[in-house]
């Protein structure tokens, strides 16, 4: 093989790869934008982790209120990551008037959620705030690879999200009902996530609310119900967290704390497991939120 | 250092840069340094162990070639074999022996127990030990000439592309190539790069994805019914094939990029229509090793019938033990020995009934391919299960628990993707079997542009679907 042909093959192959990578990356990014409602005219945004993801039906709210909704919820994200998601939303969407932020009894707890949740942000590393965050969280090899090769920023979860964005499928449902005796057994044996209050997390929520107040965006801190068995196991701590959330909400004029813990937490038929709602539970909570948004006139 | 890491790419590029640009007398030094750097990335102290195994076999081979007396030759060879195997026995089988001695003592009512060794297994110890030993054995049998240059021999034992998981090379192949200094060959580089992409795809896209399902099911087999256990076993059959053949492909490819030709280690094993053929297609470098250095010295098939059966069992049981210090591996080897003998008896029966001609029909061959695959998959249960109890439980449940529904894994996307990837692999292998696609640098009937698009898609597939958390299964051996 001649030197010239060899160079043509190598350069041609690499160029074709990076071109293919760019095109596939752009297609997937477009799908994710659609799925999460980024770069859209949505007036209402919903930000949280799986608890909120399974708790609210975005399409139902859109139908009932006749507004665009960006549902930006991701598995395992803690409060710090929710701050980054909100910063990203503010950068991408200019029409947002109201944000619903998912909170729960574990909002100020440090450990327990996925340690790898930062990986879900790789497709958005073009955003400054996310790029800085990823630089801190990932090792240099991972960071450089993702920076160079766009398709490597995705995993199956994100691929699924991109696909669902193009298919217009926003349903987040987990069918089934919580196994109450098993859950009680787990609680009895001490296998559950402990509630703690970490001051840095309280600071984070203050930072989020400060930013949103400056941007004149109304905020609902929403606690989607958690089954009472889980809360009763550490009732004092949970009450303390809800009290803190109430206190924080009162500090900001634009913020309210909507605690839907009662009257739903003891209705076991609504739960998929101790934390997450099943489709029936999602229906009930979405109806509650629609009523609340209408009543409070928060969208105007 | 894993093949799918930046460190490895950097090491490979630097090695090639130096190897092809230094004068001939420094080329072996470059390969020697690269090989030891590659190994030291895991543990520096184990590199000393590899060096010691090299020294033992180097000096033993020189003495074997120098002495005239056959008994003295045998003595030097025995010394080399024992000293080389000692670290392997200590690190790999020490705790297995202690566990069995302790269990025996308990069974006979003894109260004293031996403490377990606090050791970790040096990566690739079985591979470099067998490679070094094959050289001493070849010198003893007069199959190869003695190597007088220690640096070259040490490089042969530590050659980094195939150091930690084979193929187990023979001195007649690799050591000879180390004597002739390779020049950069553009065609070889591209051929190597293509095979590397295919090997990497098999490893990080297929094997590591299947591992998620297999690990979940095999970690708690008591929770699942027959459909799930069968599927997990089927997935494991493809996982271990893609994992190990993927590594072998990358090893062969890396060497090829530098101009070296390593032996083929896999040749479409699941298309074998007999157990004996399966072992000619699966981990070829190990099965030929056992053939040449164990089966033949035991007498092979040129002995009385009962002795031949004994030889078959010895080879398969030792092969099982080579894979791991657990009774599950020994049983796995024993199962293959049984399959081998049953097949032999079946062939004899056909001959007696004057039905030997049936063996040449397509339908019979297809039937045998399926039977062999099912048998191999059944044996994989013992290979993968963490204990014999688990393996027996899985076997029992496969025949009795059909009432539990199929578990689809944590994510339906992953499950669908896993099934799709297996389908794609089988399709590619069918094309390779039909000699339409190329296998190990053979001629391909695929047009070059289509081939280029194929490799481009594989690379994009690696980037998009590749997983990087799992290490190679065969590193533990």
């Amino acid at each position: 093989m001649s030197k010239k042909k060899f160079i043509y093959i190598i350069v041609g192959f690499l160029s074709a790869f990076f071109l293919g990578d760019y095109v596939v990356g752009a297609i997937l990014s477009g799908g994710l934008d659609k799925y999460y409602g980024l770069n859209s005219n949505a007036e209402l945004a919903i930000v949280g982790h799986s608890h909120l993801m399974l708790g609210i039906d975005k399409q139902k709210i859109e139908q009932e209120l006749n507004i665009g909704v960006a549902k930006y919820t991701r598995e395992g994200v803690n409060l710090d990551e929710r701050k980054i998601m909100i910063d990203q939303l503010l950068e991408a969407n200019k029409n947002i008037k109201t944000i619903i932020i998912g909170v729960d009894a574990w909002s100020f707890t440090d450990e327990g959620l996925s340690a790898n949740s930062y990986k879900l942000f790789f497709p958005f590393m073009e955003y400054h705030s996310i790029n800085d965050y990823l630089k801190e969280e990932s090792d240099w090899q991972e960071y450089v690879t993702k920076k160079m090769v766009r398709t490597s920023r995705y995993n199956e979860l994100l691929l699924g999200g991109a696909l669902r964005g193009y298919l217009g499928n926003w349903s987040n449902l987990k069918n089934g009902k919580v196994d109450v005796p098993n859950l009680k057994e787990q609680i009895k044996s001490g296998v559950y996530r402990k509630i703690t209050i970490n001051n840095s997390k309280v600071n984070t929520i203050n930072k989020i609310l400060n930013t949103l107040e400056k941007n004149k965006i109304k905020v609902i801190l929403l606690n989607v119900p958690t089954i009472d068995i889980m809360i009763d196991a550490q009732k004092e701590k949970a009450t303390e967290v809800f009290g803190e959330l109430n206190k924080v909400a009162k500090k900001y004029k634009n913020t309210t704390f909507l605690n839907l813990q009662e009257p739903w937490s003891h209705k076991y038929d609504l739960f998929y497991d101790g934390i997450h709602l099943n489709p029936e539970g999602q229906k009930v909570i979405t109806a509650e939120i629609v009523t609340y948004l209408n009543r409070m006139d928060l969208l105007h | 250092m894993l093949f799918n890491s930046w460190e490895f790419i950097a090491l490979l590029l630097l090695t090639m840069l130096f190897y092809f640009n230094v004068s001939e007398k420094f080329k072996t030094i470059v390969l020697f340094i690269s090989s030891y750097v590659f190994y030291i990335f895991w543990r520096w102290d184990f590199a000393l162990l590899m060096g010691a195994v090299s020294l033992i076999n180097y000096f033993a081979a020189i003495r074997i070639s120098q002495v005239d007396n056959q008994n003295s030759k045998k003595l030097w060879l025995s010394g080399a074999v024992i000293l080389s195997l000692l670290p392997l026995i200590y690190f790999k089988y020490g705790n297995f022996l202690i566990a069995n001695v302790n269990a025996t003592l308990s069974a006979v009512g003894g109260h004293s127990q031996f403490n377990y060794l606090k050791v970790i297994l040096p990566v690739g110890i079985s591979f470099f030990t067998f490679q070094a030993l094959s050289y001493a054995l070849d010198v003893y049998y007069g199959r190869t000439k003695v190597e007088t240059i220690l640096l070259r021999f040490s490089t042969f034992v530590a050659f980094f592309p195939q150091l930690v998981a084979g193929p187990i090379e023979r001195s007649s192949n690799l050591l000879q190539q180390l004597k002739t200094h390779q020049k950069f060959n553009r065609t070889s580089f591209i051929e190597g790069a293509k095979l590397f992409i295919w090997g990497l795809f098999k490893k990080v896209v297929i094997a590591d994805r299947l591992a998620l399902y297999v690990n979940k099911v095999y970690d708690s087999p008591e929770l699942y019914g027959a459909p799930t256990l069968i599927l997990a076993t089927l997935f494991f059959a493809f996982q271990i094939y893609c994992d190990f053949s993927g590594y072998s492909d990358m090893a062969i490819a890396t060497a090829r990029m530098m101009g070296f030709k390593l032996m083929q280690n896999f040749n479409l094993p699941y298309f074998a229509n007999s157990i004996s053929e399966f072992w000619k297609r699966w981990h070829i470098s190990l099965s030929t090793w056992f053939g040449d250095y164990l089966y033949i010295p035991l007498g092979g098939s040129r002995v009385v019938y009962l002795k031949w059966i004994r030889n078959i069992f010895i080879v398969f049981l030792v092969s099982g033990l080579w894979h791991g210090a657990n009774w599950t591996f020994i049983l796995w080897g024993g199962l293959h020995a049984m399959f081998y003998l049953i097949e032999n008896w079946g062939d004899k029966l056909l001959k007696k009934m004057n039905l030997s001609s049936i063996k040449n029909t397509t339908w019979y061959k297809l039937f045998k391919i399926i039977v062999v695959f099912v048998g191999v998959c059944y044996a994989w249960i013992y290979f993968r299960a963490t204990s014999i109890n688990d393996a027996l439980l899985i076997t029992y449940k496969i025949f009795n628990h059909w009432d539990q529904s199929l578990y689809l894994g944590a994510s339906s996307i992953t499950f669908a993707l896993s099934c799709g990837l297996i389908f794609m692999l089988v399709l590619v292998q069918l094309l390779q079997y039909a000699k339409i696609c190329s296998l190990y640098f053979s001629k391909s009937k695929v047009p070059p542009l289509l081939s280029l698009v194929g490799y481009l898609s594989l690379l994009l597939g690696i980037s998009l679907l590749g997983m990087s958390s799992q290490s190679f299964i065969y590193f533990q051996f």
Side-chain angles (χ1 to χ4, degrees):
Chain A
M1 185 186 290
S2 70
K3 201 173 180 176
K4 204 171 162 184
K5 191 179 174 189
F6 177 74
I7 291 170
Y8 278 158
I9 289 175
I10 299 290
V11 174
F13 187 80
L14 288 176
S15 307
F17 170 72
F18 282 110
L19 181 69
D21 175 64
Y22 186 85
V23 172
V24 175
I27 292 169
L28 292 175
S29 171
L32 268 191
D33 276 1
K34 279 182 194 293
Y35 184 59
Y36 290 130
L38 297 167
N39 291 309
S40 71
N41 289 321
E43 291 171 66
L44 173 68
I46 299 167
V47 179
H49 64 306
S50 59
H51 195 189
L52 193 62
M53 182 191 286
L54 294 169
I56 297 184
D57 179 351
K58 150 198 153 86
Q59 282 172 295
K60 186 76 183 163
I61 297 177
E62 283 180 329
Q63 279 167 17
E64 294 286 332
L65 302 175
N66 200 25
I67 52 156
V69 177
K71 186 178 176 184
Y72 193 20
T73 53
R74 324 191 83 175
E75 291 87 347
V77 287
N78 61 31
L79 212 51
D80 294 314
E81 285 155 340
R82 272 171 249 177
K83 182 186 177 308
I84 291 163
M85 288 158 73
I86 289 166
D87 289 343
Q88 186 191 357
L89 262 171
L90 294 180
E91 212 176 321
N93 295 16
K94 302 294 173 199
N95 275 353
I96 293 175
K97 292 195 173 95
T98 304
I99 292 189
I100 297 175
I101 302 172
V103 290
D104 57 25
W106 291 267
S107 284
F108 302 131
T109 305
D110 236 356
E111 283 121 25
L113 290 179
S114 167
N116 285 333
S117 53
Y118 72 92
K119 288 178 190 285
L120 296 172
F121 291 92
F122 278 120
F124 302 120
M125 66 195 305
E126 302 301 321
Y127 290 86
H128 282 300
S129 53
I130 290 185
N131 188 46
D132 293 343
Y133 161 71
L134 289 172
K135 223 182 230 176
E136 258 179 48
E137 291 292 318
S138 52
D139 65 62
W140 74 269
Q141 283 202 26
E142 190 178 33
Y143 179 78
V144 169
T145 310
K146 310 285 181 192
K147 201 78 189 164
M148 277 169 54
V149 186
R150 282 165 185 264
T151 43
S152 71
R153 298 173 189 175
Y154 293 82
N155 60 23
E156 279 156 5
L157 213 61
L158 292 161
L159 270 179
L163 194 67
R164 291 177 69 177
Y166 283 118
L167 294 173
N169 177 359
W170 286 281
S171 73
N172 298 117
L173 301 172
K174 275 204 168 185
N175 291 302
K177 283 178 188 165
V178 60
D179 181 349
V180 175
N182 190 29
L183 183 65
K184 282 184 176 166
E185 198 55 47
Q186 269 184 34
I187 300 280
K188 213 170 146 188
S189 55
V191 185
Y192 56 87
R193 193 174 166 219
K194 308 288 182 295
I195 299 171
T196 56
I197 299 184
N198 184 316
N199 282 335
S200 77
K201 297 276 184 255
V202 180
N203 284 341
T204 305
I205 205 158
N206 275 305
K207 278 183 199 163
I208 294 173
L209 297 178
N210 235 323
T211 311
L212 293 174
E213 193 176 49
K214 275 181 199 157
N215 282 280
K216 295 186 175 122
I217 291 171
K218 293 168 189 166
V219 182
I220 302 164
L221 297 177
L222 173 66
N223 176 41
V224 169
T226 304
I227 204 163
D228 60 2
I229 304 165
M230 298 277 289
I231 296 296
D232 289 347
Q234 28 193 350
K235 193 147 193 158
E236 256 180 52
K237 272 282 170 198
T239 310
E240 199 181 332
V241 171
F242 292 141
E244 188 65 40
L245 283 166
N246 235 328
K247 211 162 80 185
V248 169
K250 279 182 183 156
K251 266 170 65 182
Y252 301 90
K253 272 188 288 180
N254 61 331
T255 304
T256 49
F257 174 42
L258 177 59
N259 190 351
L260 297 181
Q261 189 63 22
E262 296 308 335
W264 310 108
S265 73
H266 60 280
K267 298 198 170 164
Y268 300 160
D269 281 356
L270 303 180
F271 289 89
Y272 170 78
D273 57 26
I275 306 275
H276 304 100
L277 295 173
N278 60 23
E280 193 54 40
Q282 189 185 80
K283 214 183 275 176
V284 169
I285 295 305
T286 305
E288 279 268 357
I289 289 162
V290 169
T291 311
Y292 183 80
L293 288 169
N294 270 327
R295 197 176 63 211
M296 300 301 285
D297 200 24
L298 281 163
L299 297 164
H300 301 105
Chain B
M1 193 186 290
L2 294 172
F3 280 165
N4 48 330
S5 69
W6 285 102
E7 289 100 341
F8 180 75
I9 292 170
L11 179 77
L12 177 63
L13 292 176
L14 279 173
T15 305
M16 288 176 71
L17 184 74
F18 283 106
Y19 183 76
F20 291 121
N21 289 295
V22 295
S23 67
E24 293 212 337
K25 59 181 174 182
F26 294 116
K27 282 185 190 285
T28 310
I29 296 177
V30 171
L31 288 180
F32 176 81
I33 292 172
S34 297
S35 298
Y36 270 80
V37 166
F38 178 79
Y39 200 75
I40 283 167
F41 255 76
W42 272 294
R43 286 275 296 257
W44 69 269
D45 46 351
F46 289 157
L48 295 177
L49 180 72
M50 183 167 65
V53 171
S54 302
L55 281 175
I56 289 164
N57 286 279
Y58 171 78
F59 285 114
I62 287 178
R63 291 300 296 152
I64 289 167
S65 70
Q66 285 170 343
V67 296
D68 293 327
N69 184 304
Q70 195 58 27
N71 284 339
S72 303
K73 281 181 191 282
K74 210 175 245 178
L75 202 67
W76 279 105
L77 178 71
S78 307
V81 171
I82 291 166
L83 286 175
S84 299
L85 289 179
L86 270 179
L88 185 67
I89 292 166
Y90 174 77
F91 283 106
K92 192 166 176 174
Y93 304 105
N95 282 327
F96 177 63
L97 289 170
I98 290 169
N100 283 288
V101 169
N102 284 346
T104 312
L105 286 175
S106 294
V108 296
H111 295 293
S112 57
Q113 296 272 296
F114 291 99
N115 291 329
Y116 284 99
L117 305 169
K118 285 178 185 151
V119 291
I120 58 162
L121 187 66
V123 172
I125 187 170
S126 309
F127 290 91
F128 66 71
T129 302
F130 270 44
Q131 186 150 315
L133 267 179
S134 75
Y135 162 75
L137 285 157
D138 280 346
V139 171
Y140 174 81
Y141 287 119
R143 291 180 195 144
T144 195
K145 281 186 182 165
V146 73
E147 175 57 62
T148 51
I149 301 171
L150 177 61
L151 186 74
R152 188 183 289 150
F153 177 70
S154 302
T155 308
F156 159 71
V157 176
F159 190 55
F160 76 92
Q162 43 84 241
L163 170 58
V164 289
I168 303 166
E169 277 297 331
R170 305 295 178 83
S171 57
S172 56
N173 182 33
L174 184 58
L175 194 54
Q176 295 310 312
Q177 289 183 65
L178 287 168
K179 285 178 187 169
T180 51
H181 299 293
Q182 311 295 332
K183 288 201 171 84
F184 182 70
N185 183 305
R186 295 177 197 114
T187 309
S188 295
F189 181 85
I190 288 175
E191 281 177 346
K194 277 156 67 175
L195 186 63
F196 193 93
I197 291 172
W198 177 231
L200 189 60
F201 184 87
K202 282 196 283 186
K203 164 66 186 158
V204 300
V205 178
I206 306 179
D208 288 352
R209 181 161 280 95
L210 295 177
L212 298 175
Y213 187 87
V214 174
N215 293 347
K216 178 103 179 157
V217 175
Y218 267 80
D219 283 350
S220 318
E222 67 282 0
L223 299 177
Y224 304 98
T228 307
L229 293 167
I230 289 173
L231 189 72
T233 305
L234 187 72
F235 273 15
F236 180 67
F238 286 101
Q239 183 205 339
I240 193 163
Y241 169 71
C242 288
D243 189 284
F244 191 22
S245 75
Y247 183 89
S248 287
D249 286 353
M250 286 187 270
I252 294 165
T254 307
R256 185 74 161 196
M257 283 190 249
M258 295 191 294
F260 294 93
K261 290 178 184 169
L262 299 186
M263 73 179 291
Q264 186 178 341
N265 215 16
F266 288 87
N267 182 14
L268 309 173
Y270 293 143
F271 285 86
N273 63 32
S274 68
I275 285 293
S276 56
E277 197 193 345
F278 175 80
W279 282 102
K280 284 174 189 151
R281 291 170 173 267
W282 178 276
H283 203 175
I284 299 165
S285 64
L286 182 73
S287 39
T288 52
W289 199 102
F290 279 122
D292 291 347
Y293 303 116
L294 187 62
Y295 181 66
I296 302 286
L298 282 171
S301 58
R302 293 176 181 178
V303 285
V304 291
Y305 192 66
L306 279 177
K307 263 196 171 174
W308 174 72
I309 292 177
R310 180 207 67 178
N311 291 350
I312 293 293
F313 266 100
I314 288 175
V315 169
F316 278 108
L317 292 176
V318 172
S319 169
L321 196 60
W322 179 91
H323 281 87
N326 193 328
W327 285 103
T328 51
F329 292 110
I330 297 171
L331 212 58
W332 169 76
L335 273 174
H336 272 274
M338 265 171 52
F339 293 158
Y340 193 94
L341 293 174
I342 290 168
E343 192 173 83
N344 185 264
W345 295 328
D347 284 347
K348 279 186 177 161
L349 193 67
L350 282 179
K351 205 173 172 184
K352 231 179 200 173
M353 294 163 74
N354 279 332
L355 289 170
S356 288
S357 57
I358 199 178
K359 283 164 73 178
N360 297 323
T361 61
T362 311
W363 287 110
Y364 183 79
K365 279 182 186 167
L366 197 65
F367 169 73
K368 280 290 298 284
I369 288 174
I370 294 166
V371 169
V372 169
F373 182 68
V374 171
V376 168
C377 283
Y378 177 67
W380 284 137
I381 293 175
Y382 293 83
F383 192 96
R384 176 60 184 82
T386 41
S387 66
I388 288 185
N389 280 345
D390 270 6
L392 293 175
L393 175 72
I394 292 166
T395 306
Y396 173 78
K397 288 190 113 183
I398 282 176
F399 288 105
N400 295 288
H401 283 230
W402 281 91
D403 48 341
Q404 274 173 278
S405 56
L406 179 68
Y407 167 67
L408 296 180
S411 146
S412 51
I413 299 173
T414 308
F415 185 79
L417 207 56
S418 301
C419 295
L421 287 164
I422 289 177
F423 179 75
M424 188 214 84
L425 178 79
V426 173
L427 201 70
V428 170
Q429 298 225 313
L430 277 170
L431 293 173
Q432 288 176 330
Y433 192 68
K435 294 188 169 54
I436 295 168
C437 264
S438 65
L439 182 71
Y440 296 107
F441 320 120
S442 53
K443 284 220 165 181
S444 168
K445 288 178 188 165
V446 181
L449 191 66
L450 192 63
S451 166
L452 193 76
V453 172
Y455 283 105
L456 208 58
S457 309
L458 286 178
L459 201 57
L460 277 172
I462 290 166
S463 160
L464 193 61
L465 304 170
M467 308 172 97
S468 53
S469 54
Q470 311 272 335
S471 60
F472 292 88
I473 295 177
Y474 262 69
F475 278 14
Q476 65 188 294
F477 306 139

